[in-house]
Amino acid sequence: DLTLDMLSLVEAQPDLNDLLVVVLDRRATALSGLEKHEQALPLAKRAWALYEQAPGQHKSIEPYQLHYSVGNAQYFLGQLEAAEKSLYAALQSLDNSSPGELSRSTRVRVTQLLGSVYRRLGQPQLALEQILLSHQMVVENNGPDHPEFFRSLLSLGLAHWTAGNHGEALSLNR
């Protein structure tokens, strides 16, 4: 297995830790994109563990990306409480990172996913708060002509519906 070979290489060459963390995270992200979350989660967790082994030595990846990868896989595997913790860790890490396009787009995805976690946990008001926040960021970052705006609007309508605000949900989805 390529991943095991790379782990052996990093143990022999610790300066390759950064590269392996990136590779593991990208592979976990790709597997999640293919809906292979049960394969993605161990890779994402391993990337995080390697990241923690060499604090302050990573130039190619931010901790919020790793927390998001773990939280995303946990969400789709139904590990909602664990996903909530991972996503909050991603938000805390984002608060400590330098602002940029990647951190802004990640913050949108994290708050959107956190809203979905709350919706599945049966906490519609918390879900609505997160999804509303995510929608506001999409509007600020991209404007109303961006495709992400319409996806965000649909999520906001669903959040309003779940929270019992049926009139608001219907008006948003028209």
Side-chain angles (χ1 to χ4, degrees):
D1 179 68
L2 177 62
T3 305
L4 292 176
D5 291 342
M6 290 181 74
L7 287 171
S8 299
L9 184 61
V10 165
E11 289 171 2
Q13 301 263 338
D15 56 321
L16 294 177
N17 181 291
D18 188 51
L19 175 63
L20 182 58
V21 169
V22 171
V23 168
L24 287 172
D25 183 66
R26 295 290 165 16
R27 183 149 182 209
T29 300
L31 287 168
S32 279
L34 296 171
E35 297 186 15
K36 295 182 178 184
H37 307 291
E38 58 284 333
Q39 294 173 21
L41 184 56
L43 292 178
K45 285 183 173 182
R46 183 66 175 142
W48 177 247
L50 285 170
Y51 185 93
E52 288 185 310
Q53 286 178 6
Q57 296 181 11
H58 297 277
K59 298 172 184 71
S60 305
I61 196 161
E62 294 287 338
Y64 62 80
Q65 294 168 284
L66 299 169
H67 287 300
Y68 177 78
S69 294
V70 171
N72 184 60
Q74 289 167 326
Y75 170 78
F76 284 104
L77 291 172
Q79 300 172 9
L80 300 176
E81 290 83 7
E84 178 187 16
K85 289 178 185 172
S86 295
L87 295 171
Y88 266 114
L91 287 174
Q92 289 174 334
S93 176
L94 278 162
D95 289 342
N96 296 326
S97 71
S98 41
E101 184 59 36
L102 181 61
S103 64
R104 283 193 304 270
S105 65
T106 302
R107 187 178 294 277
V108 168
R109 289 192 321 244
V110 170
T111 55
Q112 180 73 38
L113 188 55
L114 191 55
S116 296
V117 166
Y118 286 135
R119 189 176 68 243
R120 287 183 59 192
L121 285 171
Q123 299 177 19
Q125 284 308 122
L126 289 174
L128 180 59
E129 289 172 17
Q130 291 299 314
I131 292 173
L132 182 59
L133 179 60
S134 174
H135 179 70
Q136 290 168 341
M137 286 186 280
V138 166
V139 170
E140 290 170 12
N141 294 340
N142 303 321
D145 296 326
H146 194 275
E148 188 62 34
F149 174 82
F150 296 103
R151 283 189 284 272
S152 177
L153 201 57
L154 286 171
S155 293
L156 185 57
L158 178 60
H160 274 294
W161 186 269
T162 305
N165 307 331
H166 300 140
E168 184 69 23
L170 289 172
S171 71
L172 286 173
N173 288 310
R174 287 190 185 156

